[in-house]
Amino acid sequence: MRKASVRKVLGVMLSVFMIISAAAGCSNNNNNTAGDSTQQASESNGAANTEGNTAAQAGDMSALPDAEFSVMLGWNVPQLASQDAPVVKQVYDKTKVRLNLESPPANVDEKLNIMLASGEMTDAIVINNPSMAQKFIDAGYVIPLDELFDKYGGQIKENLNSVWGQLKNEDGKIYKIPSGYILPGADRMLETGYSFQFLTNVLEAKGWYKPQTFDELTALLKEVKEKYPQYIPMSLALGTESFFTNMVKTLAGAEGVRLYNDYVWTPDDKLIYKYKDAGIRDSLKWLNQLYQQGLLDEESAVQNIDGFKAKMASEKVFSSIGSWFDNMYEANSIFTQDKKPFRFKYFLLKGNPEVAKTTYDAYGANYDSGVYISSKMKDPERFMQFVNYLNTQEGNLLQKGVVNFDGEDKDGYDYFITEEEGKKYIKSTTFQVNGWQNDELFASKRGLNTFGFLTFSTDMNDHPSFTYQMSRKELDFSMWWDDETKRANEGYGEKGTDWIEEGRSTGWDYTDIAGLNFKPESAEYIATTKVNQLSYNTIVKLILSASDAEFDKGYDEFLKKADDMGIGQAEAAMNQMYQDRKAEWKQ
C-alpha cells in the first residue's frame, strides 16, 4: 500500500499511504545488518509461541542456495528498490531470496489483460480486483495453494485463524496469499487518505480560515480568483483514471455516502450503483458549478497526474481533491527543501451542514487483495516458505526496517527499541523522520516496506501478538512536522494526536459487503464493466457542462443508458449475493 492500496502502499505516519516503497541506493550502515538480524531473531523468538517458532524455522532459508522470483505488483511504482537498499539486503541475508519486482502502468487492469492474452506471466502476481483474479484462475494461469499452505504456510494460517475461510474461492480452494492484511482483533488507528487540500498562505491571511462545507469552499475559491490571480482556484487530474476514482471517493466521503468499489451501501441496507446515489450526483454537480464559475482549472478534464503535480509543486494551484498523499506530498517536500513559508494542508469537509457523519475512512476485514502464484513458478514451495517467514513476528520486523535494539536513536537506522512506562516499544529514528521530511525518495532509497505486500501490516494498528507495539509517542504526529507545518497546525490549534479522533469520527466498517463480486463471464460483470467505462468518460464531460440544466439532462441520459446496458440487473444480483451472505454468516 492501495491498495490499496494501496498506496497504492510510509514509516509509521506515512507508510499507511505508501503502498510499497522502492528505489535504488545503499547505506553506510550495511556493516550493522548481520548483527541486527541476529539480535532481532533472538528477541523475536523469545516472544513467539511454540507453533510460531515452528513456522519461523520452516521459513528460515539462510542456509539454502539463492532463489529469485519475479513479481508483478498491483500498483504503479515510479522507482523500484535496488537489491542494495539496506532493508532489501537484510531480508536477503536472512532468507537468500531476491524479488525482481515489476511495476505496471497506471492502468493496472490493462497490463493484467495483456498478460492474460499473451500467457506471459511473472512468478507471482499481486491482484487487487477479485474479478480479474478469477480470470487468471479460470485460465489456469495461477495455482491453488491449499497444499502449500498446509505444508509451508502455518504462520499465515495461524495469523488469520478464525477468518481463514474468507480466503476461499467459490470452488472451495485458496488461490491467494493475503496482501498487507490486518491481524484479526487488532486495534486500528485510522488516518484518512482522502481529503480536500489547500495552500496555507491564503488560509493564514484569512485568520487560519477552514472551510467546512461545499458552499463555504465555493465562496473561498471565488475570493482566491479575485484576490490571488497567480493561483488556479482548484485543479484536478481527470485525465488519469485513478485520480478520478480517488476524487469520487472523496466526494462520497464528504456527503456521508458509504461507497465501496462500484456500489453504495445505503442506510436502508441496500446496495445501489454508485452514480445512482443522490449524494454523489449532488457533489459532481457542485464540481460542474465550480467549472461554470471559472473556479476549476480548464485543463482538468485532460490533465494527467504528472502535469497536475507539476502545477502543485510550482505554486500555481490553490486547492484540489482526492488522495492527499498523491496530490500534495511531492509539492510539500519541495516547499520544505526550498524553505517556503507555506504548505498544502488537508481538511475533511462536509457536502452540506445536514451531513450527520462523513465517511472518508473505510475499514474492515477485506481479503480481496492477494498475491497469486503463477503456474510458471518453478519453486512455489520455496516462495511459500519465504512468505511464511515474513509473516512471523521475526520476519515481519526484519522487513519493516533496520532496527537498533540497544535503545539509542542513531543515524543509519530506521527504528530503535525504546522503553515507555516499563514496556518496550518500536519507534522511528530521527534519521527516518528527517529523511521523510527532506527527501521524497527516502523510503525508496532505504527499501522501506518493499516487502509489505507479502505480510501483515503493523502500521496504524496494534495487536497483542506484536513483539513490539508502536511507541505511544509515535502516535503524536507532531514529530513528523517540519517548522512550517508545525506553525500552520498551531495556527489551527491542532495537536499531533488529533488525527486519532478524526479518523474514528469519519470511519465506517465495510466488512459485511467486502468481497462481493461478479464472475468475469457473467452478464452482470460485463454490464458493470461497460457501464464503468462509459461512466468515466461521461462524468468527466458532465463536469464541463455549460449549465445546471445541461448537467441534469446529461446525467439523466447517462443513468438511463446505464440501465439499458444492464446495471439494474447487476444491482439486483449484487443485493441477492449480499442477502445470501448474511444468511450464510448467521449459520
Side-chain angles (χ1 to χ4, degrees):
M1 97 182 276
R2 56 230 241 138
K3 337 340 342 124
S5 285
V6 290
R7 131 299 339 335
K8 265 248 98 133
V9 104
L10 299 172
V12 184
M13 179 184 81
L14 298 173
S15 58
V16 72
F17 300 107
M18 254 325 248
I19 300 179
I20 185 172
S21 304
C26 56
S27 170
N28 58 10
N29 189 51
N30 286 343
N31 292 334
N32 294 324
T33 301
D36 292 340
S37 299
T38 301
Q39 185 171 2
Q40 190 172 348
S42 175
E43 294 204 41
S44 296
N45 286 339
N49 58 35
T50 302
E51 293 182 10
N53 277 332
T54 301
Q57 290 164 7
D60 187 347
M61 295 164 280
S62 58
L64 296 178
D66 285 9
E68 290 192 12
F69 300 98
S70 58
V71 181
M72 173 62 66
L73 297 174
W75 48 87
N76 177 260
V77 180
Q79 181 91 33
L80 291 172
S82 150
Q83 300 294 343
D84 291 329
V87 179
V88 176
K89 186 178 184 302
Q90 74 174 9
V91 170
Y92 166 76
D93 289 341
K94 179 69 176 179
T95 66
K96 293 299 183 283
V97 170
R98 298 187 191 276
L99 296 184
N100 295 319
L101 301 179
E102 297 185 22
S103 173
N107 190 333
V108 179
D109 282 356
E110 180 179 329
K111 174 62 177 180
L112 293 175
N113 280 321
I114 292 173
M115 294 174 72
L116 279 168
S118 66
E120 295 182 2
M121 302 285 136
T122 50
D123 292 320
I125 312 163
V126 183
I127 307 178
N128 300 314
N129 182 342
S131 298
M132 179 63 72
Q134 190 62 46
K135 291 183 179 182
F136 281 78
I137 294 170
D138 293 342
Y141 287 145
V142 296
I143 64 174
L145 307 178
D146 302 77
E147 290 187 11
L148 288 171
F149 273 122
D150 288 341
K151 293 180 180 179
Y152 306 104
Q155 187 65 58
I156 302 173
K157 295 179 70 173
E158 180 183 325
N159 288 352
L160 292 177
N161 200 355
S162 61
V163 301
W164 178 250
Q166 293 189 29
L167 295 185
K168 290 185 178 180
N169 196 52
E170 60 183 29
D171 63 3
K173 299 177 182 179
I174 295 176
Y175 292 89
K176 62 188 173 187
I177 300 167
S179 178
Y181 60 97
I182 303 290
L183 292 177
D187 178 23
R188 301 181 184 224
M189 292 157 281
L190 305 171
E191 186 188 20
T192 182
Y194 304 114
S195 63
F196 294 75
Q197 303 97 38
F198 307 92
L199 272 179
T200 55
N201 55 347
V202 173
L203 303 179
E204 180 181 8
K206 287 178 62 64
W208 298 111
Y209 178 69
K210 177 180 177 180
Q212 304 285 342
T213 65
F214 286 176
D215 284 346
E216 291 182 10
L217 176 51
T218 300
L220 175 61
L221 296 181
K222 288 180 179 178
E223 185 176 340
V224 169
K225 182 180 180 181
E226 177 182 348
K227 295 183 178 180
Y228 300 89
Q230 71 270 33
Y231 294 138
I232 298 168
M234 177 178 285
S235 187
L236 308 172
L238 302 179
T240 297
E241 191 167 358
S242 60
F243 182 100
F244 173 82
T245 299
N246 290 338
M247 180 194 74
V248 172
K249 290 178 179 178
T250 304
L251 295 173
E255 294 284 357
V257 174
R258 296 184 296 177
L259 174 61
Y260 182 76
N261 293 336
D262 294 324
Y263 286 84
V264 168
W265 191 8
T266 66
D268 60 350
D269 203 28
K270 299 290 193 303
L271 297 172
I272 64 171
Y273 183 62
K274 56 190 173 185
Y275 293 118
K276 290 186 177 183
D277 180 81
I280 290 179
R281 176 172 179 160
D282 287 346
S283 62
L284 291 170
K285 187 173 183 177
W286 168 72
L287 273 184
N288 168 242
Q289 290 169 343
L290 295 184
Y291 176 78
Q292 291 180 47
Q293 298 172 73
L295 304 177
L296 194 62
D297 188 352
E298 292 183 353
E299 297 180 349
S300 291
V302 296
Q303 184 167 243
N304 64 26
I305 191 68
D306 292 333
F308 163 80
K309 287 183 178 181
K311 285 183 180 178
M312 295 279 280
S314 58
E315 306 170 37
K316 294 180 179 179
V317 174
F318 168 66
S319 70
S320 191
I321 305 173
S323 165
W324 68 261
F325 183 84
D326 289 345
N327 292 1
M328 73 184 203
Y329 179 69
E330 290 183 14
N332 276 353
S333 294
I334 292 172
F335 295 165
T336 299
Q337 293 169 16
D338 294 345
K339 301 186 184 306
K340 296 289 185 179
F342 50 79
R343 297 290 184 271
F344 277 105
K345 180 173 175 59
Y346 70 82
F347 296 114
L348 309 183
L349 277 64
K350 286 185 175 182
N352 61 76
E354 285 70 46
V355 175
K357 180 184 185 323
T358 58
T359 52
Y360 286 94
D361 269 325
Y363 65 91
N366 174 21
Y367 304 105
D368 283 357
S369 179
V371 181
Y372 295 78
I373 296 180
S374 75
S375 54
K376 69 155 282 188
M377 183 182 284
K378 296 180 180 179
D379 194 354
E381 294 83 4
R382 179 77 177 276
F383 185 77
M384 182 63 80
Q385 281 182 293
F386 170 68
V387 175
N388 189 71
Y389 171 70
L390 294 183
N391 281 268
T392 65
Q393 293 297 323
E394 175 189 331
N396 184 279
L397 190 61
L398 186 76
Q399 64 81 39
K400 184 179 180 70
V402 180
V403 181
N404 183 21
F405 291 90
D406 67 7
E408 293 187 37
D409 182 0
K410 293 181 178 179
D411 282 353
Y413 291 89
D414 305 303
Y415 299 93
F416 68 104
I417 304 304
T418 184
E419 188 168 310
E420 299 171 14
E421 298 180 353
K423 184 177 179 180
K424 288 187 175 182
Y425 292 92
I426 188 168
K427 192 173 188 296
S428 300
T429 59
T430 303
F431 170 76
Q432 184 187 171
V433 173
N434 291 339
W436 278 110
Q437 290 177 345
N438 299 315
D439 185 355
E440 63 188 75
L441 295 178
F442 174 78
S444 304
K445 294 174 181 176
R446 296 291 298 172
L448 292 172
N449 209 30
T450 296
F451 304 93
F453 69 97
L454 289 172
T455 184
F456 57 89
S457 171
T458 59
D459 292 325
M460 303 306 174
N461 76 96
D462 275 336
H463 193 274
S465 68
F466 290 172
T467 304
Y468 303 105
Q469 293 185 340
M470 191 189 328
S471 166
R472 302 302 91 178
K473 296 178 181 178
E474 198 92 51
L475 300 179
D476 186 342
F477 280 3
S478 63
M479 68 175 289
W480 298 95
W481 298 345
D482 61 24
D483 290 343
E484 178 57 30
T485 301
K486 181 179 180 181
R487 188 181 73 84
N489 289 339
E490 287 178 347
Y492 283 100
E494 295 181 3
K495 301 186 298 295
T497 54
D498 287 352
W499 65 274
I500 300 174
E501 182 55 37
E502 182 180 64
R504 288 170 177 163
S505 68
T506 193
W508 64 279
D509 188 344
Y510 59 67
T511 300
D512 288 355
I513 60 172
L516 295 174
N517 296 283
F518 300 123
K519 295 181 179 179
E521 71 277 8
S522 68
E524 293 82 7
Y525 175 85
I526 294 171
T528 302
T529 300
K530 290 182 177 179
V531 171
N532 280 340
Q533 291 170 346
L534 172 69
S535 68
Y536 173 45
N537 295 321
T538 301
I539 298 298
V540 170
K541 291 178 181 178
L542 286 174
I543 291 173
L544 307 183
S545 297
S547 65
D548 289 357
E550 181 180 322
F551 178 91
D552 286 332
K553 180 175 182 293
Y555 206 100
D556 289 339
E557 290 174 351
F558 160 66
L559 291 181
K560 182 180 184 306
K561 190 168 185 178
D563 274 331
D564 291 343
M565 294 169 68
I567 202 64
Q569 290 88 337
E571 275 184 343
M574 182 62 68
N575 278 283
Q576 187 60 54
M577 285 194 293
Y578 175 43
Q579 295 303 318
D580 292 345
R581 167 182 283 185
K582 289 199 294 183
E584 180 182 349
W585 284 8
K586 286 180 180 179
Q587 296 176 0

